Amino acid sequence: MAGNTAPEPAFFDVAIVGAGMAGASLAFELAPHLRVLLLEQETQAGYHTTGRSAALFSEIYGNAAIRALSRASREFLQSPAAGFCDQPLLTPRGSLFFAAEQQLDRLHALHDEVGPRSPRLQWLAHPALLARLPALRADSVAAGVFEPDACDIDVHALHQGYLRGARRHGAQICCDAMLTAAEQTAGRWSLQTRAGNFSAGLLVNAAGPWADGVAGIAGAAALGLTPLRRTAMVFEDKTEWASEHWPLAVDIDEQFYFKPDASRLLASPADETPSPACDAQADEYDIALLIDRLETTTLLSPRRISGRWAGLRTFAPDRTPVLGFDAARPGLFWLAGQGGYGIQTAPALAQLAASQILRRSIPPAIADQGLDAQTLSPGRFASA
Ligand SMILES: Cc1cc2nc3c(=O)[nH]c(=O)nc-3n(C[C@H](O)[C@H](O)[C@H](O)COP(=O)(O)OP(=O)(O)OC[C@H]3O[C@@H](n4cnc5c(N)ncnc54)[C@H](O)[C@@H]3O)c2cc1C
């Protein structure tokens, strides 16, 4: 009978799955050009890894591709467009990699590798290291590499700026809208979500720890992305001499790190425990390990722990993000595997993803850093 047919689902040029930093930043870049739908399974965008980071921007952290993406992101973070947010996104912090005597070869290797691109990098011999960070135990460290230009990132302001900007350009942001089924016919996706059905020309997988699962929903092969749990805590220190001006300090083998966080300290045992995609929780063992490492290598002595949490940093097998069209499933685009760097690299990753989706050439600021599309392409796993 006429009149009983279900209404056609709303059509979007692009449906992005996941409203963490990856999905939000891409929605921001695409919304001025395309009809964009951003789907988030939680009632609140940013609930998972994006809301649980240490909020650091460092150009010497991660592998060569990550460092190039970070350098290419600095301009956006330092000078976002007018109206993007009301406060600075970056605040000077500095980062300090330190080493014990037996780790010095690794510290030298880092210095040699990143030095040429970071002329302001400083090698700190023992006295200079202790002067920079008096919390280190003199007998457990030998030297350090100091990056003066590392910054704290206002993650909330960045994420909200992206979401606000996307919305301003007409993007529809649907929370409580888990994607449960996706079928592609004649170049169009029919999408079922907990918030209703939609139709889209392109499906973007920005689902963080769930990215391999979302690929399965879309009929594509998993890429072997692994969520690794990382724990953090905020604490007050018994010694009460912690300074807001200390840099983020991390040992060269990334066994733990700490940095000031308002009037307290934030620290992590830098754990990487494989985990299923889930609402990750801090494990007491990892907190105990962290306290032990802090007390062994520093003069700090945690008194009151005022917050503890964990999040999932999701890595591809080569620890480089995955960005590009699926090799075998036309209409599916990957923006995943950002690991522990998805905040500081978000601007460059989103600009690069948007350039591919809009069929434009690679943005010069990214090409200038020596990055090419193949390095990040999901097809690199197929050819391997
Ligand atoms: C302790 C810790 C410290 C870190 N420190 C830093 C740092 O200092 N600097 C830095 O740059 N990075 C850091 N990171 C890493 C950074 O937080 C991540 O790389 C980044 O947040 C990843 O963003 P994302 O959008 O890919 O993932 P997420 O924020 O996890 O977003 C993915 C979203 O997809 C949604 N989703 C999944 N499946 C579906 C579905 N079927 N339907 C709808 N929605 C779905 C999820 O609900 C989720 O909100 C840290 C991470 C941790 C845990």
Side-chain angles (χ1 to χ4, degrees), residues 9-313:
F11 176 79
F12 294 85
D13 299 307
V14 183
I16 302 171
V17 185
M21 194 59 83
S25 54
L26 182 59
F28 172 85
E29 293 294 338
L30 291 178
H33 312 284
L34 300 172
R35 285 164 292 180
V36 175
L37 172 67
L38 185 55
L39 295 170
E40 171 52 51
Q41 66 185 358
E42 304 294 347
T43 52
Q44 180 197 335
Y47 175 76
H48 287 290
T49 319
T50 293
R52 306 177 189 204
S53 85
L56 188 79
F57 176 92
S58 162
E59 293 182 4
I60 64 170
Y61 187 42
N63 66 24
I66 296 294
R67 297 199 298 264
L69 287 163
S70 304
R71 289 194 301 272
S73 295
R74 183 184 277 276
E75 170 69 24
F76 183 101
L77 294 169
Q78 213 153 255
S79 317
F84 184 85
C85 56
D86 296 331
Q87 63 268 61
L89 292 170
L90 296 183
T91 313
R93 163 65 53 211
S95 83
L96 176 61
F97 286 76
F98 60 85
E101 197 66 42
Q102 67 277 15
Q103 296 171 307
L104 278 177
D105 53 340
R106 265 101 73 201
L107 195 68
H108 277 292
L110 174 75
H111 189 249
D112 293 349
E113 194 179 344
V114 300
R117 289 269 194 180
S118 308
R120 278 166 48 78
L121 213 63
Q122 296 165 26
W123 179 270
L124 302 183
H126 194 250
L129 172 62
L130 293 180
R132 173 66 62 189
L133 190 53
L136 294 171
R137 280 187 190 278
D139 55 357
S140 52
V141 293
V145 164
F146 179 56
E147 178 195 19
D149 297 325
C151 293
D152 284 336
I153 309 175
D154 188 330
V155 178
H156 182 72
L158 178 63
H159 188 229
Q160 290 303 313
Y162 277 138
L163 292 173
R164 214 171 24 245
R167 226 181 258 119
R168 201 181 300 135
H169 282 101
Q172 188 170 324
I173 301 168
C174 272
C175 289
D176 215 353
M178 177 194 273
L179 179 77
T180 52
E183 198 173 312
Q184 197 186 26
T185 27
R188 267 193 183 207
W189 289 97
S190 300
L191 306 174
Q192 281 178 28
T193 80
R194 295 241 167 103
N197 296 342
F198 301 93
S199 167
L202 179 71
L203 186 63
V204 176
N205 183 355
W210 287 264
D212 266 352
V214 164
I217 292 175
L223 296 181
L225 298 174
T226 309
L228 301 177
R229 189 180 69 228
R230 176 155 290 189
T231 309
M233 72 174 190
V234 168
F235 65 98
E236 283 165 26
D237 181 60
K238 273 190 206 140
T239 58
E240 286 179 358
W241 50 277
S243 160
E244 273 182 46
H245 303 294
W246 286 351
L248 178 137
V250 54
D251 84 288
I252 188 66
D253 291 329
E254 210 177 339
Q255 298 279 311
F256 75 104
Y257 61 80
F258 62 97
K259 72 168 191 173
D261 183 71
S263 57
R264 296 166 301 177
L265 288 157
L266 181 157
S268 169
D271 44 328
E272 293 200 336
T273 310
S275 165
C278 66
D279 187 354
Q281 303 296 322
D283 188 293
E284 281 312 310
Y285 172 80
D286 293 317
I287 297 287
L289 197 67
L290 169 59
I291 293 172
D292 182 59
R293 286 177 184 166
L294 278 168
E295 292 183 339
T296 306
T297 311
T298 77
L299 299 168
L300 298 171
S301 185
R303 181 177 49 172
R304 210 173 65 80
I305 299 177
S306 47
R308 67 189 81 195
W309 67 91
L312 300 178
R313 301 154 80 245

